[in-house]
């Protein structure tokens, strides 16, 4: 018998998935750092081969970041209610205000216009909001499907996604930056929870090796494209290789058993705040300029560990400030939502 899609309701999430949430957000930071290392061209590849290969491999390994986040949501299932929905929106509003306040303290820029822009800015928060709204219907569909039916549907969905979205550029998919694309990843997460295929039953180490090997393959493909003068890049959320990489990185952590680690769970609860902060229009440009400066000062190789240190600093800052967000929402929710027993206290992206 397959496992119930909603079997995780009411249970504490294991810290291995919370650790994946942290790693995924660090990969988001890495993905946004990579462009500051400079453009990747045929001339760059020939004149500074090692540095260019490093940039390409960093891109290969980090491109799975968003997909992994949504796989986690699909694996556990979004439990939509007024409280979780309000919590999600409150995060966006809180971190728009916090980002503007931080920019003013740093003497960068700020103001009401950037606060409002920060609330509506960014493709992922609003694509995920679409997924949240659709989640009750998707969950009902998953519940009624057998594992085989769900697997068949995914094959059809990703044939359309690969041909129509990735190869032909169908606008509905928006290169993977759309609610429709997140629905597909959500369904994969639900399928992984229920299926028992040998293909997905390897130990964590094997899964991680598959992820690394496919990342190297992406690098190789990009090098070949550059050498023959093709400007197209294999890096994209809809690339089926990228999706498979995300699946195997997800399975790497799914096969781990680290128990319940309160520190990991606490940090993971603030992971989404890192995205909302470092991408905000009031602060994002300043952070990118800092990464560019790191590359100029430390060079193409030594700049990588320095940049990783900056990721940790950004993460730590967001975790500290996000305690205020969690505390204030708890006060608000306790006064507004009187029925505290049957409600979800957190949005799935946290």
């Amino acid at each position: 018998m397959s496992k119930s899609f909603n079997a995780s309701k009411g249970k504490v999430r294991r810290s291995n998935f919370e650790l994946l949430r942290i790693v995924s957000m660090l990969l988001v930071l890495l993905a946004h750092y990579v462009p500051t290392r400079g453009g990747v061209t045929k001339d760059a590849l020939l004149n500074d081969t090692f540095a260019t290969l490093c940039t390409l491999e960093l891109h290969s390994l980090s491109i799975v970041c968003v997909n992994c986040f949504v796989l986690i949501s699909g694996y556990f299932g979004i439990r939509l209610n007024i409280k979780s929905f309000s919590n999600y929106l409150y995060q966006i509003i809180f971190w728009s205000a916090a980002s503007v306040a931080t920019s003013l303290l740093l003497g960068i820029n700020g103001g009401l216009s950037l606060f409002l822009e920060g609330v509506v800015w960014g493709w992922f928060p609003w694509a995920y909001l679409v997924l949240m709204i659709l989640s009750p219907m998707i969950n009902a569909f998953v519940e009624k499907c057998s594992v085989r039916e769900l697997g068949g549907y995914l094959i059809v969905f990703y044939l359309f996604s690969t041909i129509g979205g990735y190869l032909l550029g169908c606008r509905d998919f928006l290169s993977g930056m759309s609610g429709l694309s997140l629905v597909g990843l959500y369904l994969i997460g639900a399928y992984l929870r229920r299926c028992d295929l040998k293909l997905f039953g390897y130990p964590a180490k094997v899964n991680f090796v598959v992820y690394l090997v496919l990342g190297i393959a992406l690098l190789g493909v990009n090098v070949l494209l550059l050498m023959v003068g093709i400007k197209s890049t294999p890096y994209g959320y809809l690339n089926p290789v990228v999706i498979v990489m995300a699946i195997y990185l997800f399975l790497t952590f799914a096969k781990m058993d680290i128990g319940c680690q309160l520190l990991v769970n606490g940090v993971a609860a603030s992971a989404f705040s890192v995205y909302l902060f470092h991408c905000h229009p009031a602060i994002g440009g300043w952070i990118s300029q800092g990464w560019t400066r790191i590359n100029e000062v430390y060079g193409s190789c030594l700049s990588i560990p320095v940049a990783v240190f900056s990721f940790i600093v950004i993460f730590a800052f967001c975790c500290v400030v996000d305690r205020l967000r969690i505390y204030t929402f708890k006060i608000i929710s306790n006064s507004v939502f009187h029925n505290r027993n049957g409600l979800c206290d957190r949005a799935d992206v946290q």
Side-chain angles (χ1 to χ4, degrees), residues 290-306:
W291 286 336
T292 301
R293 181 60 177 163
I294 287 173
N295 296 324
E296 293 171 350
V297 172
Y298 294 98
S300 58
C301 295
L302 188 57
S303 61
I304 296 174
V306 177

Side-chain angles (χ1 to χ4, degrees), residues 5-124:
F5 179 58
N6 290 318
S8 62
K9 288 187 178 182
K11 295 183 180 179
V12 177
R13 291 187 182 183
R14 291 153 50 195
S15 293
N16 54 334
F17 290 106
E18 300 307 307
L19 183 60
L20 174 59
R21 203 182 299 277
I22 295 170
V23 170
S24 297
M25 186 50 62
L26 289 172
L27 290 178
V28 169
L29 290 167
L30 180 60
H32 292 165
Y33 158 74
V34 167
T36 68
R37 292 174 58 84
V40 176
T41 63
K42 182 178 180 179
D43 289 340
L45 183 61
L46 294 174
N47 296 328
D48 197 355
T49 303
F50 184 74
T52 305
L53 290 177
C54 283
T55 300
L56 289 174
E57 184 59 14
L58 291 175
H59 200 170
S60 297
L61 297 178
S62 63
I63 191 64
V64 301
C65 52
V66 171
N67 292 355
C68 283
F69 253 93
V70 185
L71 287 175
I72 297 171
S73 294
Y75 187 81
F76 287 99
I78 296 173
R79 290 165 286 169
L80 182 65
N81 52 59
I82 296 176
K83 191 175 183 180
S84 62
F85 187 79
S86 301
N87 187 20
Y88 183 74
L89 294 181
Y90 183 70
Q91 277 186 279
I92 296 173
I93 295 170
F94 176 93
W95 273 101
S96 185
S99 299
V100 170
T102 302
S103 70
L104 290 172
L105 289 173
L106 293 174
I108 307 169
N109 49 39
L112 180 60
S113 61
L114 284 178
F115 166 74
L116 295 175
E117 185 180 350
V119 170
V120 300
W121 178 91
W123 73 268
F124 179 76

Side-chain angles (χ1 to χ4, degrees), residues 161-181:
S161 171
T162 302
I163 296 173
Y166 182 61
L167 297 177
L168 300 180
C170 175
R171 289 184 299 174
D172 291 331
F173 284 96
L174 291 175
S175 300
M177 297 181 287
S178 68
L180 178 59
S181 298

Side-chain angles (χ1 to χ4, degrees), residues 16 19-20 23-24 27 30 57 60-62 64 68 199-217 241-242 244-256:
N16 54 334
L19 183 60
L20 174 59
V23 170
S24 297
L27 290 178
L30 180 60
E57 184 59 14
S60 297
L61 297 178
S62 63
V64 301
C68 283
L199 184 64
F200 301 134
Y202 297 119
K205 290 181 180 179
V206 176
N207 293 327
F208 189 65
V209 169
V210 173
Y211 160 70
L212 292 178
V213 169
L214 290 176
I216 294 172
V241 176
V242 172
V244 173
M245 284 179 64
I247 290 172
Y248 276 95
L249 183 59
F250 173 86
L251 291 173
T252 298
F253 286 84
K255 298 296 182 179
M256 292 181 180

